[in-house]
Amino acid sequence: EDQVTQSPEALRLQEGESSSLNCSYTVSGLRGLFWYRQDPGKGPEFLFTLYSAGEEKEKERLKATLTKKESFLHITAPKPEDSATYLCAVPETGNQFYFGTGTSLTVIP
Amino acid sequence: GAVVSQHPSRVICKSGTSVKIECRSLDFQATTMFWYRQFPKQSLMLMATSNEGSKATYEQGVEKDKFLINHASLTLSTLTVTSAHPEDSSFYICSAPGGFNYGYTFGSGTRLTVV
């Protein structure tokens, strides 16, 4: 069965302390890996799509990378406003998404 | 960019009543809409896929008669929770493919509390 696993489940960082979030997947025939940010009580907000191993994308303090088995979301010098749950997802059949359980990030001032 | 408007954002209803949640694609046509449920500290679980002009497809374990989905137009999909019970309390989110290369667009979610 295809699986998407995220780690850690929760992460607390001091402001400015860089770190990485992991998303490992076992889907066959990857048709893209998506990263989303979700704030409490809101729907997920699209961040990145990665399609092939070696691909990297950046947005402000975030950089997403992809290998054949996993993706990393690197957060450089995070700020309190980066606090959120970060979800990764991969498409399944019929345009459905299979979501990981997310990493809850808290950045402490 | 693609925007999906979801209403209401919060609703409290009495046990046994029905609640309707609407999702509208504002600047694009959504022939398909996905409905998710999310429990606290858990990820999104797909409930059903609605298709404009045809019957919705439900995931295994989701009661079709309890969660009625209607996708009557290219811009509107509705989810009605019928005879709601406290265990139906959850966060419901819709999503539409507004452009695959840019990710699917999600509504802002509806917090349903059944008392």
Side-chain angles (χ1 to χ4, degrees):
Chain A
E1 180 178 310
D2 293 341
Q3 291 234 353
V4 178
T5 305
Q6 289 188 249
S7 63
E9 191 174 305
L11 182 63
R12 289 173 64 91
L13 299 174
Q14 288 292 136
E15 185 172 0
E17 180 187 0
S18 302
S19 187
S20 297
L21 282 55
N22 177 266
C23 172
S24 61
Y25 61 92
T26 58
V27 295
S28 56
L30 184 70
R31 297 186 295 126
L33 185 141
F34 293 72
W35 281 98
Y36 289 86
R37 167 187 171 133
Q38 186 177 22
D39 292 298
K42 300 202 175 171
E45 175 188 344
F46 171 75
L47 292 175
F48 305 107
T49 310
L50 301 167
Y51 287 105
S52 57
E55 188 175 0
E56 297 183 353
K57 289 192 177 174
E58 288 188 63
K59 180 180 179 180
E60 295 181 354
R61 296 177 291 282
L62 301 177
K63 182 169 81 172
T65 62
L66 182 67
T67 71
K68 289 185 178 180
K69 294 184 179 180
E70 57 192 349
S71 177
F72 291 94
L73 184 64
H74 306 278
I75 302 176
T76 303
K79 297 182 178 182
E81 52 262 41
D82 295 322
S83 298
T85 295
Y86 291 86
L87 300 166
C88 68
V90 295
E92 286 193 88
T93 57
N95 291 325
Q96 301 169 19
F97 270 28
Y98 188 95
F99 282 89
T101 51
T103 294
S104 175
L105 173 66
T106 303
V107 182
I108 305 163
Chain B
V3 177
V4 172
S5 176
Q6 183 171 349
H7 294 281
S9 58
R10 293 176 181 271
V11 58
I12 301 173
C13 70
K14 291 184 177 181
S15 186
T17 62
S18 295
V19 172
K20 180 185 284 188
I21 301 169
E22 291 189 351
C23 273
R24 293 180 184 274
S25 55
L26 297 186
D27 49 2
F28 66 103
Q29 293 182 336
T31 56
T32 301
M33 192 80 78
F34 300 103
W35 288 93
Y36 293 86
R37 180 167 51 185
Q38 186 177 35
F39 292 106
K41 297 189 178 182
Q42 293 187 24
S43 193
L44 286 77
M45 297 300 295
L46 181 67
M47 297 175 63
T49 303
S50 73
N51 300 290
E52 187 270 334
S54 63
K55 290 183 178 180
T57 304
Y58 290 82
E59 296 301 299
Q60 191 172 6
V62 177
E63 299 176 58
K64 301 179 182 180
D65 295 333
K66 181 169 192 60
F67 299 100
L68 300 180
I69 290 175
N70 184 279
H71 196 145
S73 76
L74 288 172
T75 60
L76 175 64
S77 177
T78 61
L79 168 67
T80 301
V81 183
T82 63
S83 187
H85 288 103
E87 57 263 33
D88 298 324
S89 298
S90 188
F91 192 57
Y92 293 86
I93 311 174
C94 60
S95 171
F100 194 76
N101 286 334
Y102 303 97
Y104 283 38
T105 300
F106 287 82
S108 53
T110 297
R111 171 71 61 193
L112 170 64
T113 304
V114 184
V115 298

